[in-house]
């Protein structure tokens, strides 16, 4: 192994850049670390080069530990995103720099310089100054310079980031050639999937400091082990299906179970990945190769180069949870995406509105964890109750939970430890994989850090203030509600089970993300949902003024339409639902409805993070929490998509 | 690279245009141009022979030489200390960095006479350090070394101002690139940083030199103004003027003016050259 990272961690203050990353790169392999910004990929590279010190873990280069060595002694070539060519030196002197430092004799230096210039196709440019070269040429000089003193490994940090698309693809090819010719072990860091697929022998996907999955590009794309990778690489149709009697049931269809799928005796819920190009879309009546998924209708088309991208409505999937493409608020029909290379004759037929038949050529099955809950406890009676409720919800969702105890002061550690071990005893029979963690420090900070690991679907807070069931948001809860990007379930008083959910559309920005999340939760837990909208009587800012009847009428229509779209969304997820409209003050009406309908959960949308302390949303959440006497779910607005 | 700016149409020679230009000359002539002319007019009044004799006076010779020597040493000292300070302030993060970056620029803001006074209060016979050092034979005040100290203090920000922006712009990756290729800190500094700093260092040195050559306030306080011992050129000019030797004063003033003017022209050429070359 040329490069080995062994449980390498690095924090910058509270931010965890790398969390126990282990990685082995074989000799002369081209390994690509793929991840979004802030995923820790550059940090990993700098740690290998010795430019950043890891907090924990070991680094081995060519089988030798190098943790204690400065960058000068590690024998790595590094290509920076800005190339960092020395501007006052000619191209030749730049390439020779490393060799001069290593005291390579003059003749040898010249020979290797010319060799490298030939290799990168810049013969005769040795006397140019870097600033006289184009970006692509500079980039190639940077590669040559890093290779000149024959380092054991080559590290490249987004080497094509600053170039235009055409130059980029040219350079990728020439880099691959150079790398194969010199057989130098290379790690390249990028956020560009296309680049990763084109260059890599193997790809490692980094997400928030975790190395999620490693493998050859094709198998990562076709057979990812996790939902995250399935979504991260390319487009995906991701549905929940069930393996029963050796067959794969998705909605009303029965699909062929791939050979590598787990062998199940009873039944098992799984995630089914169908890549858009594996979804066959044919006009009705035409012959079809794959296994049938029933009939559908083309909703949208987009000709992207030779590929026809389609959105297809598939009514037979109603009630089947579709994880990707994510349902949009108000969407009436289950929708999948398909990419096709249609024949000329088919083109006039594959248009929006056209009825089609659908089939699946290939699919892949991913284990379905059924949601993962982080439960925070402090060992108090209240925490015990919320843990109880969380366990019921997790069980109903066929999900997992992890329990986090935080000791804010040293003397609280014993109590927290006792609480955790009691919890472990009480629930490990029901959740065999149950894990507990004890952390010290500010509870809010530790909880947010834990959530930052990005593996939880929901956080359950039991610790509401130090002094028993405090009747307002404690500082911990307040902090988490303000900053979490994961939905928060707060349990002032537990319920027996999760059967009825009240989804409030009066609060938050759009109320859309909470309808979708609460709908998914209801779907998983087999609960029913009520959509509530509260019409606030007086117009805010015009106290006492009688509302214009036309305005009221317009608002009512608008509300009804929004509610109807919400109901559609819930139906799509297979959740039995109804809608209600109330008139009055939002918080009061929500509480009244919750009490009279005896709901098990109130779902509220929250403002976008970072949410400000004094917003209306916060005030509403405060009031509802204070008086609800039942679990409250706070769903943050969706974070921006992408990397 | 092509010039993307549309060609600017020259202003037409309207009456308003002529008035504006005329006004500019009217304002600037008494403010800027005539004072410079006056020096040369007075310096040359007695003819070339008398100008030459004045310059050759031992006191004048001494004053000019002392000023040049002090300016030279000040520039060298600040080139080293200023660059070091700029490097540390730019590339390291440490406790007190913020206050320190303000402090090092303070000498431009404080009147030079005050800076001179502060030096006396530090190094003088009753000063904070002086009361212990003077008995040991270290007497910088009323000596050329004291003038040097004063000039280093007063001109410190000029070198910093010329070098630090270059360092701030220079990304850490250039250093890191050299490190990964095996170069240690010293070699990286010599081969990578110093060449990049060349321009800033050069203009910083010239600026320091020019300022040191003309420094009056702090020098007057610290030097004691001893003829043939600590009298710099500006002090000599002032002394001669007070004694009524206007022509002698003006002759030395003219020499100083010419010296500063040449430095300034050189600086102008040097700093505008890269811009003309283009990226």
């Amino acid at each position: 192994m040329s490069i080995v990272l062994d449980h390498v961690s690095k924090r910058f203050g509270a931010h965890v850049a790398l969390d126990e990353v282990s990685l082995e790169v074989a000799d002369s392999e081209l390994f690509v670390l793929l991840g979004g910004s802030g995923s820790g990929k550059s940090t990993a590279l700098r740690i290998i080069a010795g430019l950043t010190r890891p907090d924990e873990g070991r680094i081995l280069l060519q089988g030798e530990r190098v943790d204690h060595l400065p960058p000068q002694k590690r024998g790595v070539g590094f290509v920076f995103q800005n190339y960092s060519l020395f501007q006052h030196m000619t191209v030749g002197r730049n390439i020779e720099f490393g060799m001069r430092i290593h005291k390579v004799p003059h003749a040898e230096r010249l020979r290797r310089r010319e060799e490298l210039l030939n290799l990168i196709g810049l013969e005769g440019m040795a006397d140019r100054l870097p600033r006289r070269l184009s970006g692509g040429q500079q980039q190639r000089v940077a590669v040559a310079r890093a290779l000149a003193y024959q380092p054991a490994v080559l590290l490249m940090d987004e080497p094509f980031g600053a170039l235009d698309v055409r130059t980029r693809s040219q350079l990728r090819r020439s880099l691959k050639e150079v790398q194969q010719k010199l057989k130098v072990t290379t790690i390249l860091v990028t956020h560009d999937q296309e680049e990763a697929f084109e260059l890599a022998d193997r790809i490692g996907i980094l997400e928030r400091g975790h190395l999620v999955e490693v493998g050859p590009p094709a198998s990562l794309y076709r057979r990812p082990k996790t939902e995250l990778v399935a979504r991260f690489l390319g487009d995906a149709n991701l549905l929940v299906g069930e393996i029963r009697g050796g067959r794969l049931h998705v909605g009303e269809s029965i699909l062929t179970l791939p050979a590598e799928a787990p062998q199940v005796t009873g039944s098992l819920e799984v995630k089914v990945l169908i890549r858009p190009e594996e979804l066959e879309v044919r006009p009705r009546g035409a012959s079809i190769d794959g296994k049938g998924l029933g009939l559908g209708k083309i909703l949208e088309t987009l000709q992207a180069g030779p590929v026809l991208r389609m959105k297809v409505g598939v009514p037979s999937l109603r009630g089947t949870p579709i994880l990707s493409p994510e349902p949009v608020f108000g969407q009436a029909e289950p929708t999948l995406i398909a990419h096709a290379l249609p024949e000329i004759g088919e083109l006039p037929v594959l248009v929006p509105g056209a009825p089609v038949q659908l089939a699946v050529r290939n699919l892949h099955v991913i284990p379905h964890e059924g949601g993962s809950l982080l439960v925070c406890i402090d060992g108090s009676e209240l925490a015990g109750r919320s843990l109880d409720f969380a366990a019921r919800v997790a069980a109903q969702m066929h999900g997992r939970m992890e329990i986090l105890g935080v000791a804010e002061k040293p003397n609280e550690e014993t109590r927290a430890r006792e609480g955790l071990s009691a919890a472990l005893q009480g629930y490990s029979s029901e959740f065999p994989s149950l894990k507990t963690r004890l952390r010290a420090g500010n509870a809010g900070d530790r909880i947010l850090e834990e959530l930052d690991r990005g593996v939880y679907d929901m956080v359950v807070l039991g610790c509401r203030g130090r002094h028993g069931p405090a009747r307002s948001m404690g500082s911990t809860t307040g902090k988490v509600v303000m900053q979490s990007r994961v939905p928060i379930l707060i349990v002032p008083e537990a319920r027996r089970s999760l059967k009825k959910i009240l989804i409030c559309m009066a609060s938050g920005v759009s109320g859309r993300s909470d309808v979708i999340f609460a709908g998914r939760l209801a779907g998983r837990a087999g609960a029913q949902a009520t959509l509530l909208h509260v019409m606030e009587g007086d117009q805010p800012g015009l106290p006492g003024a009688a509302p214009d009847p036309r305005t009221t009428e317009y608002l009512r229509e608008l509300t009804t339409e929004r509610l109807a779209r919400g109901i559609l969304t819930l139906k799509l997820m297979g959740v039995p639902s109804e809608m209600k409209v109330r008139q009055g003050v939002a918080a009061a009406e929500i509480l009244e409805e919750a009490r009279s309908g005896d709901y098990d959960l109130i779902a509220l949308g929250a403002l976008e993070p970072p949410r400000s302390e004094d917003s209306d949303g916060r005030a509403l959440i405060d009031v509802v929490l204070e008086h609800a006497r039942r679990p409250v779910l706070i769903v943050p607005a969706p974070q921006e998509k992408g990397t | 690279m092509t010039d993307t700016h549309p060609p600017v149409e020259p202003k037409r020679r309207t009456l308003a245009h002529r008035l504006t230009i005329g006004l500019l000359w009217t304002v600037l002539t008494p403010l800027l141009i005539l004072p410079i002319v006056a020096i040369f007019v007075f310096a040359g009044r007695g003819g070339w022979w008398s100008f030459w004799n004045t310059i050759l006076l031992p006191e004048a010779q001494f004053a000019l030489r002392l000023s040049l020597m002090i300016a030279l040493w000040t520039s060298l000292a600040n080139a080293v200390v200023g660059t070091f300070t700029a490097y540390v302030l730019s590339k390291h993060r440490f406790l007190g960095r913020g206050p320190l970056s303000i402090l090092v620029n303070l000498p431009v803001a404080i009147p030079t006479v005050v800076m001179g006074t502060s030096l006396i209060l530090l190094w003088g016979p009753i000063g904070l350090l002086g009361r212990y050092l003077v008995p040991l034979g270290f007497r910088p005040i009323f000596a050329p070394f004291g003038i040097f100290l004063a000039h280093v203090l007063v001109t410190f920000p000029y070198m910093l101002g010329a070098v630090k922006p270059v360092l701030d712009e220079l990304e850490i990756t250039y250093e890191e690139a050299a490190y990964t290729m095996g170069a240690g800190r010293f070699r990286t500094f010599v081969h990578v940083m110093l060449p990049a700093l060349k321009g800033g260092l050069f203009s910083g040195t010239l600026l320091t030199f020019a300022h040191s050559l003309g420094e009056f306030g702090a020098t007057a306080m610290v030097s004691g103004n001893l003829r043939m011992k600590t009298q710099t050129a500006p002090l000599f000019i002032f002394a001669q003027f007070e004694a009524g030797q206007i022509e002698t004063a003006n002759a030395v003033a003219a020499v100083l003016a010419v010296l500063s003017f040449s430095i300034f022209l050189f600086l102008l050429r040097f700093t505008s050259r890269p811009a003309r070359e283009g990226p």
Side-chain angles (χ1 to χ4, degrees):
Chain A
M1 287 294 149
S2 271
I3 306 170
V4 176
L5 268 68
D6 183 16
H7 293 89
V8 173
S9 297
K10 176 71 187 173
R11 298 163 159 269
F12 294 107
H15 174 70
V16 182
L18 287 180
D19 193 1
E20 303 214 338
V21 169
S22 296
L23 176 69
E24 293 189 358
V25 180
D27 290 338
S28 62
E29 186 178 6
L30 204 172
F31 189 92
V32 173
L33 266 180
L34 180 63
S37 62
S39 61
K41 54 192 192 311
S42 293
T43 307
L45 214 58
R46 293 176 57 87
I47 285 178
I48 299 170
L51 297 170
T52 300
R53 272 191 175 280
D55 296 333
E56 281 158 45
R58 304 186 307 154
I59 297 122
L60 286 85
L61 294 178
Q62 314 295 115
E64 280 182 42
R65 280 195 73 164
V66 294
D67 315 334
H68 55 287
L69 293 179
Q72 288 88 348
K73 298 251 164 69
R74 295 202 182 189
V76 298
F78 204 111
V79 177
F80 293 87
Q81 187 173 5
N82 65 359
Y83 319 139
S84 293
L85 294 178
F86 305 139
Q87 296 298 322
H88 57 279
M89 294 183 198
T90 60
V91 166
R93 301 273 294 193
N94 262 291
I95 295 176
E96 284 177 56
F97 185 84
M99 294 191 274
R100 276 171 191 275
I101 300 287
H102 287 99
K103 301 217 164 52
V104 176
H106 181 70
E108 169 71 8
R109 257 185 0 231
L110 277 185
R111 192 186 60 72
R112 211 180 294 162
R113 185 184 90 182
E114 291 310 312
E115 205 177 279
L116 281 164
L117 283 172
N118 269 328
L119 195 64
I120 60 171
L122 292 179
E123 305 88 346
M125 297 232 185
D127 295 329
R128 299 271 184 100
L129 280 174
R131 64 163 170 271
R132 299 259 177 237
L133 303 182
S134 71
Q137 290 172 327
Q138 289 189 32
Q139 199 274 342
R140 280 185 271 176
V141 174
V143 174
R145 185 178 70 171
L147 288 171
Y149 49 98
Q150 293 176 318
V153 300
L154 177 64
L155 307 174
M156 308 178 88
D157 191 358
E158 302 253 8
F160 310 115
L163 300 169
D164 60 87
V165 179
R166 187 177 293 182
T167 319
R168 220 182 273 194
S169 68
Q170 271 174 13
L171 282 184
R172 272 185 219 151
R173 255 167 283 143
S174 79
L175 173 73
K176 184 90 182 169
E177 273 169 33
V178 169
Q179 196 266 341
Q180 280 170 347
K181 208 171 279 179
L182 298 182
K183 293 193 170 31
V184 56
T185 311
T186 305
I187 298 186
L188 185 146
V189 150
T190 184
H191 66 274
D192 185 337
Q193 287 184 31
E194 203 185 317
E195 198 169 299
F197 275 102
E198 199 171 322
L199 285 171
D201 295 323
R202 284 192 306 153
I203 297 177
I205 291 172
L206 261 181
E207 161 83 9
R208 298 195 221 185
H210 291 264
L211 191 60
V212 186
E213 226 176 300
V214 175
S219 82
L220 277 191
Y221 180 74
R222 286 169 198 279
R223 292 192 296 278
K225 291 193 188 71
T226 56
E227 181 187 337
L228 194 146
V229 174
R231 285 162 174 270
F232 189 79
L233 296 178
D235 292 325
N237 294 302
L238 208 53
L239 317 145
V240 176
E242 198 179 7
I243 301 178
R244 211 182 321 125
R247 296 205 284 185
L248 178 62
H249 298 255
V250 176
E252 295 161 8
S253 315
I254 297 172
L255 301 175
T256 319
L257 200 57
E260 79 275 2
Q263 298 297 316
V264 198
T265 41
S267 74
L268 177 71
E269 276 209 325
V270 288
K271 288 173 191 160
V272 181
L273 169 68
I274 305 166
R275 290 291 178 191
E277 63 277 10
E278 303 291 1
L279 185 64
E280 203 180 344
V281 180
R282 282 284 150 82
R284 292 209 181 149
S287 73
I288 204 152
D289 307 328
K291 200 83 172 170
L293 200 63
L295 301 176
K297 196 172 84 179
I298 297 181
L299 302 176
E300 277 176 49
T301 60
L302 177 74
Q303 188 77 47
V307 178
L308 184 69
R309 293 165 185 250
M310 291 171 275
K311 274 192 184 170
V312 192
V314 193
S316 67
L317 290 176
R318 191 174 293 275
T320 303
I322 298 180
L323 306 168
S324 171
E326 277 182 53
V328 188
F329 181 78
Q331 181 181 317
E333 235 179 327
T335 303
L336 297 181
I337 44 177
H339 296 174
L341 292 162
E343 288 154 29
I344 289 289
E346 279 181 340
L347 270 178
V349 191
L350 298 178
V351 290
V356 287
Q357 50 179 342
L358 298 160
V360 179
R361 287 195 200 93
N362 278 302
L363 58 82
H364 173 65
V365 167
I366 302 172
H368 187 37
E369 298 89 12
S372 161
L373 270 60
L374 177 70
V375 189
C376 308
I377 63 165
D378 61 353
S380 67
E381 196 188 330
L382 174 79
R385 266 183 272 152
S386 70
L387 179 60
D388 214 40
F389 182 69
R392 277 188 206 133
V393 173
Q396 262 179 281
M397 292 168 68
H398 309 289
R400 305 179 293 117
M401 64 176 186
E402 264 182 53
I403 306 175
L404 175 74
V406 183
E408 296 217 302
K409 294 175 187 163
N411 58 13
E412 291 175 356
E413 211 177 297
T414 333
R415 197 174 74 142
R417 206 182 289 281
E418 279 167 12
L420 283 178
S421 65
L424 196 60
Q425 270 187 353
Y427 294 98
S428 57
S429 56
E430 198 175 349
F431 300 95
S433 64
L434 182 69
K435 266 191 262 174
T436 62
R437 285 163 191 266
L438 179 65
R439 302 280 302 273
N442 179 284
D445 289 340
R446 292 294 96 82
I447 292 169
L448 287 168
E449 270 174 43
E450 190 64 25
L451 292 177
D452 215 30
R453 292 176 53 220
V455 293
Y456 302 104
D457 298 308
M458 188 156 77
V459 53
V460 185
L461 295 181
C463 28
R464 296 194 56 212
R466 218 174 291 267
H467 316 290
R471 275 285 162 234
S472 64
M473 250 195 268
S475 63
T476 302
T477 312
K479 197 176 217 166
V480 178
V481 168
M482 284 301 154
Q483 293 175 33
S484 170
R485 295 194 286 191
V486 175
I488 307 132
L489 180 62
I490 303 165
V491 191
E493 269 167 55
R495 307 282 298 183
R496 277 183 187 288
S497 60
L498 188 56
K499 288 274 174 263
K500 284 180 81 181
I501 299 181
L502 178 66
I503 305 172
C504 307
M505 294 186 61
S507 64
V509 183
S510 64
R512 293 173 181 197
S513 57
D514 49 329
V515 172
I516 288 173
F517 183 84
R520 193 168 285 163
L521 180 64
R524 302 277 331 143
Q528 60 180 39
T530 301
L531 266 185
L532 172 70
H533 186 95
V534 181
M535 306 252 309
E536 304 227 278
D538 290 328
Q539 295 303 307
L542 297 170
D548 185 338
R550 278 172 305 174
T551 314
T552 318
E553 188 50 38
Y554 173 69
L555 282 177
R556 190 181 298 279
E557 267 172 37
L558 206 67
T559 307
T560 319
E561 199 220 309
R562 278 187 63 195
L563 282 174
R565 290 176 52 175
I567 295 285
L568 274 178
T569 312
L570 289 171
K571 279 213 177 114
L572 180 74
M573 298 184 198
V575 178
S577 49
E578 55 171 351
M579 57 174 163
K580 280 194 177 166
V581 180
R582 278 174 165 264
Q583 206 142 18
V585 180
E589 295 305 316
I590 289 170
L591 288 165
E592 176 55 27
E593 175 64 30
R595 197 191 54 76
S596 64
D598 198 30
Y599 292 90
D600 299 312
L601 184 76
I602 304 175
L604 296 169
L607 302 171
E608 275 176 55
R611 302 175 266 278
S612 70
E613 284 280 344
D614 46 57
S615 61
D616 288 351
R618 162 85 195 239
L620 180 83
I621 291 169
D622 252 339
V623 175
V624 172
L625 268 182
E626 199 170 323
H627 302 286
R629 296 178 170 273
R630 65 197 76 236
V632 177
L633 175 71
I634 297 159
V635 186
Q639 45 178 307
E640 336 92 83
K641 259 278 223 252
T643 51
Chain B
M1 287 278 269
T2 50
D3 199 346
T4 49
H5 296 287
V8 178
E9 199 181 321
K11 280 236 170 192
R12 271 176 298 155
R13 291 165 186 274
T14 57
L15 185 63
H17 167 80
R18 284 177 198 191
L19 274 176
T20 314
I21 303 298
L23 190 66
L24 184 73
W25 281 107
T26 321
V27 172
L28 291 192
T29 303
L31 281 179
L32 281 179
I33 298 158
L34 285 180
I36 299 170
V37 173
I39 298 173
F40 291 96
V41 170
F42 270 85
R45 246 191 193 173
W48 274 105
W49 189 241
S50 125
F51 174 79
W52 196 243
N53 275 336
T54 318
I55 292 297
L56 287 179
L57 278 177
E59 287 94 342
Q61 281 283 302
F62 179 86
L64 278 171
R65 269 188 209 152
L66 181 65
S67 272
L68 285 170
M69 282 311 281
I70 297 272
L72 187 69
W73 284 109
T74 306
S75 323
L76 286 179
N78 268 345
V80 176
V81 184
T83 308
F84 174 67
T85 312
Y87 180 81
V88 176
L89 283 178
S90 172
K91 301 290 174 197
H92 290 262
R93 298 287 172 270
F94 55 93
L95 193 71
R97 177 176 169 271
L100 195 63
S101 7
I102 297 172
L103 212 65
V104 288
N105 280 308
L106 224 51
V108 263
I110 297 177
T112 50
V113 183
V114 180
M115 299 306 293
T117 318
S118 71
L119 277 177
I120 294 179
L121 293 178
L122 180 69
W123 297 113
I126 56 154
L128 287 178
L129 289 174
R131 72 179 72 164
Y132 307 110
L133 293 176
V134 170
L136 298 176
F138 182 74
R139 295 189 182 83
I141 298 304
F142 308 136
F145 189 67
I147 305 175
F148 165 75
L149 284 181
H151 285 206
V152 166
L153 175 66
V154 170
T155 60
F156 191 74
Y158 298 111
M159 182 58 80
L160 203 65
V163 173
K164 192 160 173 290
V166 186
L167 276 171
D168 287 342
E169 286 283 299
L170 197 68
E171 282 182 63
I172 189 91
T173 54
Y174 289 90
E175 276 169 84
E176 291 179 338
Y179 293 161
T180 56
M181 285 185 270
R185 279 182 179 273
F186 179 73
R187 280 210 270 191
T188 302
F189 188 80
V190 173
H191 294 299
V192 178
M193 306 299 280
L194 221 48
L197 285 179
K198 213 167 53 186
L201 260 174
F202 187 73
S203 53
T205 310
L206 282 186
L207 263 177
T208 309
F209 192 89
H211 271 274
S212 170
L213 209 57
E215 214 301 314
F216 184 81
T219 321
M221 293 304 294
V222 172
S223 71
N225 199 8
L226 307 170
R227 282 180 65 196
M228 301 293 283
K229 272 198 179 131
T230 60
Q231 198 172 49
T232 61
L235 293 184
F236 177 81
I237 296 167
F238 187 70
Q240 292 299 316
F241 212 90
E242 278 213 315
Q245 312 274 7
I246 296 173
E247 279 179 26
T248 320
N250 276 330
V252 176
V255 173
L256 269 193
V258 169
L259 269 177
S260 311
F261 196 60
S262 354
I263 291 175
F264 176 72
L265 272 185
F266 196 52
L267 208 64
L268 206 64
R269 273 196 82 93
F270 185 81
T271 47
S272 61
R273 198 176 42 181
R276 230 183 293 149
E277 230 174 48

